Amino acid sequence: MMTWKSNFDETKKHYLDWWKGKGIVLSMWEHLFKEGEPYEEIPPPPRHKDINQFWFDPEWRSDYLHYRMSRNSYMADILPVANAQLGPGSLASLLGSELEGRDDTIWIHPKKDFDETIQFDEDNRWWKLHQDLLSAVKKRSEGKYMVGCPDLIEGLDVLASLKGPDNVLVDLILEPERTLEQLAEINKVYFDVFDRIYDIINMEGEMAFCYFSLWAPGKVSKLQVDLSIMISEEDFRHFCLPFLEEQTRQIDYTLYHLDGVDAIRHLDAVLELKELNGVQWTPGYGQPQGGNSRWYDLYKRVLAAGKSVMINWVTLDELEPLIDHVGNQGLHINVDFKSEREIEKALTIVDKYR
């Protein structure tokens, strides 16, 4: 695999160690442009005609991503991964929700006249788009970078996208058995779609995820239940944990995305997932970000349970105190880099602990 990342073999070793609870991965959220000349002189595509072309035209978007990937920095452990996502939770679109492109994201609207049936239609236009977009980006890459798995999401969050979170929360009380049946069906569709996507995007068996800077030598995914901030510990164990357990068993490498202070009450349950490899912490709106000392004990709690930890939006001045207090084993640190010079400074710090 000859990509534009010259130190990819070293980065892969860092990831292999991290999945086992060892060492440090130093990366960032997505990318910044490299200094100097691009890897290749790739012409930019013409400006998109409208927001729909920007998100939903496979040919245009593959050209756009190819241009950007030729100019991104892949220093440290930053991954050469094209972000071909179609919104957070795009699995819902394959079950009847509608996608709407916006300036900075894709919105997912509930399915009209949802009849409580979970059904995957092979002829669904959004499923066709998923396949066409991923295939176009993979072909355009010519092996010079990887294509990230879209942020499909699963479980209660998908059900909330289909019929609205309020309706889901009511049904946990009024229709618990039907909800469990729906969640089981969502998991079946998830595995079916995930495996087909893997077949499109994997490179020699290796896989990357579009967000959260993830690479693995096999199937890899980020798992989540953001709706968990609105349910009790008992309901989390009843409606979420069994399906998360199934995902961790069927996917080789998994990272749980713990989102928001109100989700911390579910951490003990998450840490009981034997096959789960790691936990990523997102503090949420109005809270200090991942490098703040407020979260040191949370990271130690995750590490003590035998899981690796991913820490996001760390500033350069927070990096060394973070490692000093949390340790130098099982850390994936995404720094909020602004330049390659900052990456070099961060490498100088991290290399002291490797």
Side-chain angles (χ1 to χ4, degrees), residues 197-318:
I197 287 175
Y198 172 80
D199 289 341
I200 295 173
I201 68 173
N202 85 85
M203 293 179 68
E204 300 173 5
E206 300 174 13
M207 182 179 175
F209 196 81
C210 70
Y211 283 136
F212 294 82
S213 188
L214 288 177
W215 170 90
K219 294 177 180 178
V220 60
S221 187
K222 176 269 302 173
L223 311 178
Q224 70 174 65
V225 188
D226 281 1
L227 197 67
S228 68
I229 64 171
M230 305 179 75
I231 65 176
S232 68
E233 293 95 324
E234 181 181 358
D235 281 347
F236 183 84
R237 289 180 177 277
H238 188 63
F239 292 102
C240 305
L241 210 58
F243 304 105
L244 291 169
E245 185 177 14
E246 187 179 10
Q247 290 153 19
T248 62
R249 287 199 312 265
Q250 292 204 34
I251 300 172
D252 302 320
Y253 299 87
T254 51
L255 176 79
Y256 186 82
H257 163 55
L258 188 71
D259 192 340
V261 172
D262 289 333
I264 293 176
R265 64 177 177 269
H266 304 304
L267 181 57
D268 284 342
V270 170
L271 295 176
E272 291 172 12
L273 294 166
K274 293 182 181 180
E275 301 299 323
L276 180 72
N277 300 96
V279 174
Q280 182 274 333
W281 167 237
T282 295
Y285 180 76
Q287 299 291 333
Q289 290 301 307
N292 190 275
S293 60
R294 178 176 177 179
W295 313 121
Y296 289 172
D297 287 343
L298 185 149
Y299 300 142
K300 291 178 182 178
R301 186 174 158 192
V302 173
L303 293 167
K307 311 299 183 188
S308 300
V309 68
M310 178 183 284
I311 306 168
N312 280 8
W313 300 109
V314 177
T315 59
L316 195 58
D317 63 300
E318 293 172 329

Side-chain angles (χ1 to χ4, degrees), residues 55 57-59 61-62 65 81-86 90 94 126-141 145-152 193-202 207-208 210:
W55 291 112
D57 181 337
E59 183 177 353
R61 194 166 169 198
S62 62
L65 288 171
V81 176
N83 189 345
Q85 54 89 14
L86 284 166
S90 60
L94 312 186
W126 298 120
W127 172 231
K128 184 177 185 303
L129 177 60
H130 275 75
Q131 296 175 93
D132 290 348
L133 175 61
L134 294 171
S135 297
V137 178
K138 176 73 176 291
K139 181 179 180 181
R140 194 74 176 90
S141 74
Y145 49 87
M146 300 185 73
V147 182
C149 179
D151 193 12
L152 297 171
V193 169
F194 182 89
D195 287 347
R196 295 199 215 184
I197 287 175
Y198 172 80
D199 289 341
I200 295 173
I201 68 173
N202 85 85
M207 182 179 175
C210 70

Side-chain angles (χ1 to χ4, degrees), residues 53-71:
Q53 183 177 43
F54 182 84
W55 291 112
F56 305 140
D57 181 337
E59 183 177 353
W60 185 91
R61 194 166 169 198
S62 62
D63 286 345
Y64 172 74
L65 288 171
H66 191 60
Y67 168 75
R68 291 188 64 88
M69 294 298 291
S70 72
R71 284 157 171 75

